[in-house]
Amino acid sequence: MKAQVHVPEQHPADRTPFIAVLGSSGFRASWQAGISHVLEEIGNPVRWDLASGGTIPGLAAAAGMNRNWRRVVNAGVPTHKILAPAQGLRWFERKNLDLAGVFDLTVVEEWLDAWLAWVGVKTFRDLRYKPGEIRPAETSYRAGICVAMWRTDRPFLARCTLDQLRDPAFIHRAFRWAFFGRQFPWRKFKPVWIPDTVDEHLPWLKQEIDDHSPAFWARVSMSQWPACLPTVLQDPETLQLIFLADGGHIDNQPSLFNDGRIPSLPLLNPRLAQNRRQNKPGQQVRDAGRMPFGRVVRFELTPETNFSSLQASGLGLAERDAMWRRGVTQGRRRLSSELADLVKQHASDRRRSERMYDRVRVQVPGLHGFQSIAAARRPWTKRTLDNRS
């Protein structure tokens, strides 16, 4: 392996194309990095649908980063800096986890941005499909990032500057303005796929989204409210405030195509079973309801992956690499046969869909009370009182 030059890997040309889905993982993105290594061995993941912690390994793979280098990158995630309080907050603002959060993931954004730039991906324009490449229908990018968006009911009191919108103290004040004004913006969660559906929700970004950094939006998708500060934008015409946060709030098994319509390519979503209930047969029924035209593959927790978010600061190089190795080992045992079965299932679903025109209603768990409300507002979804997926 060359020390200074990125060397893309050469894969067989006849690998089965599919859509790889990496959802929220907390601080277990290292395990997902090992899984992404295997996904490229068993087929051709031509599209990466990502949310929360899954954005780190998914963007690295979509950028074409050599898998050996991805292992090096994965081990160096600056986890120990993630839980540092945001600069500029006063003592009473640091105590307001119920509102706008205290932690800032800017260090992780800068770290990921530097690695992506090293392999030639500085903006979303660099993730566009090239002419002739295999891709799912209705997409233009090799990766999509899911973020949760909520918009205030009323215009803000004044036009905000960019410095204000990035200031932690201002974010807290803006949150209080929405909260005590009884606007409850989090009751109106919507999933936004960056860059695919920006024009539907944030039309003023449509012309410039190709020039945005994927690392910026990855940081947005990893910022789990209320612990982390949300990102705030302002609609230039209406002056409403737009709060953006962790995509896992909307969907822990994210896919742009998981809306009841059958996609042109099969969906494969490897996930850790985060509790005992998810190791039982009933979970397969719940997963099928959440991703009706794809497959969720559950893997058992092991000593390398069984830890809480509060232990994240103790994840060093050795611990992260051990998590990566476990992902590779578990993935090689199961994913090849799972993809083969999925391809057959998808072909059958496509034949059946030619005779059916109604979408299948996708189940969305109510992880929180406000998300349960939001799920009921989303088209082609069915609200279920369920645990974190």
Side-chain angles (χ1 to χ4, degrees):
M1 182 170 60
K2 296 183 180 180
Q4 301 297 327
V5 181
H6 170 62
V7 182
E9 290 173 292
Q10 297 297 321
H11 298 291
D14 58 348
R15 293 179 302 152
T16 301
F18 67 98
I19 299 165
V21 182
L22 297 182
S24 59
S25 61
F27 291 96
R28 300 184 181 96
S30 304
W31 177 83
Q32 290 178 313
I35 286 291
S36 70
H37 183 103
V38 179
L39 290 174
E40 289 187 322
E41 291 180 341
I42 64 169
N44 183 14
V46 298
R47 163 79 181 198
W48 296 83
D49 278 0
L50 312 170
S52 197
T55 58
I56 293 177
L59 281 176
M65 191 179 296
N66 183 288
R67 288 182 299 170
N68 292 318
W69 276 114
R70 294 211 305 263
R71 180 177 183 177
V72 174
V73 172
N74 157 71
V77 179
T79 305
H80 60 291
K81 297 181 179 180
I82 288 178
L83 297 181
Q87 297 297 316
L89 295 180
R90 290 164 287 184
W91 68 270
F92 60 86
E93 290 167 328
R94 292 173 184 241
K95 301 297 183 181
N96 271 291
L97 270 176
D98 58 318
L99 292 178
V102 297
F103 301 129
D104 187 6
L105 276 70
T106 301
V107 173
V108 179
E109 176 190 339
E110 295 171 348
W111 165 85
L112 181 59
D113 197 49
W115 273 107
L116 292 176
W118 180 69
V119 292
V121 174
K122 297 181 180 180
T123 67
F124 277 115
R125 183 177 286 105
D126 300 315
L127 289 176
R128 278 186 170 273
Y129 291 104
K130 297 176 182 178
E133 287 185 331
I134 300 174
R135 64 183 181 91
E138 303 178 17
T139 61
S140 301
Y141 301 87
R142 297 196 297 273
I145 299 173
C146 185
V147 301
M149 182 197 85
W150 59 103
R151 177 190 292 262
T152 60
D153 294 330
R154 300 191 296 272
F156 192 60
L157 304 176
R159 187 175 296 277
C160 304
T161 66
L162 289 178
D163 288 339
Q164 283 179 310
L165 296 174
R166 295 168 182 168
D167 177 35
F170 175 82
I171 293 174
H172 275 266
R173 289 198 298 272
F175 232 86
R176 293 190 189 102
W177 168 77
F179 183 86
F180 293 114
R182 301 188 64 80
Q183 299 187 64
F184 301 117
W186 48 85
R187 291 175 60 180
K188 301 177 178 66
F189 268 129
K190 291 182 181 178
V192 179
W193 281 94
I194 311 296
D196 299 86
T197 67
V198 160
D199 58 325
E200 297 177 23
H201 307 286
L202 309 171
W204 69 89
L205 295 182
K206 180 180 180 180
Q207 300 303 320
E208 65 177 61
I209 194 66
D210 267 355
D211 296 316
H212 280 215
S213 164
F216 169 83
W217 289 99
R219 191 260 301 161
V220 172
S221 188
M222 288 187 284
S223 297
Q224 183 173 350
W225 175 81
C228 296
L229 287 165
T231 296
V232 184
L233 305 177
Q234 187 176 35
D235 190 311
E237 295 185 2
T238 66
L239 299 191
Q240 292 169 294
L241 294 184
I242 314 295
F243 294 93
L244 301 167
D246 192 329
H249 277 308
I250 283 289
D251 202 339
N252 287 281
Q253 293 165 198
S255 177
L256 175 67
F257 308 92
N258 199 23
D259 60 358
R261 59 186 173 132
I262 183 168
S264 58
L265 295 173
L267 302 167
L268 184 60
N269 176 208
R271 291 193 59 78
L272 280 168
Q274 299 184 38
N275 54 54
R276 295 178 182 176
R277 182 187 180 201
Q278 293 179 344
N279 284 324
K280 296 181 179 179
Q283 185 64 44
Q284 296 179 7
V285 177
R286 290 187 288 272
D287 287 336
R290 299 227 39 220
M291 190 171 283
F293 294 122
R295 176 160 301 192
V296 180
V297 184
R298 296 276 176 178
F299 293 90
E300 291 186 359
L301 288 174
T302 65
E304 297 91 343
T305 56
N306 189 13
F307 64 93
S308 69
S309 295
L310 295 179
Q311 297 172 295
S313 58
L315 287 177
L317 298 177
E319 290 80 10
R320 281 199 170 277
D321 199 55
M323 204 184 300
W324 178 91
R325 289 197 304 271
R326 178 59 62 183
V328 171
T329 301
Q330 289 181 317
R332 285 176 174 168
R333 289 174 180 169
R334 292 184 55 191
L335 288 180
S336 180
S337 59
E338 294 283 0
L339 179 60
D341 292 342
L342 173 61
V343 170
K344 296 178 182 177
Q345 172 193 325
H346 182 262
S348 175
D349 289 340
R350 292 280 288 182
R351 289 192 295 269
R352 188 173 68 252
S353 70
E354 294 176 356
R355 304 187 300 270
M356 299 171 58
Y357 299 97
D358 292 334
R359 296 189 186 187
V360 174
R361 196 167 291 275
V362 179
Q363 296 179 8
V364 177
L367 309 185
H368 313 282
F370 52 80
Q371 189 193 24
S372 183
I373 296 171
R377 295 171 179 263
R378 293 173 58 195
W380 299 108
T381 59
K382 176 183 178 181
R383 178 177 49 186
T384 61
L385 298 177
D386 199 357
N387 64 309
R388 188 173 178 86
S389 63

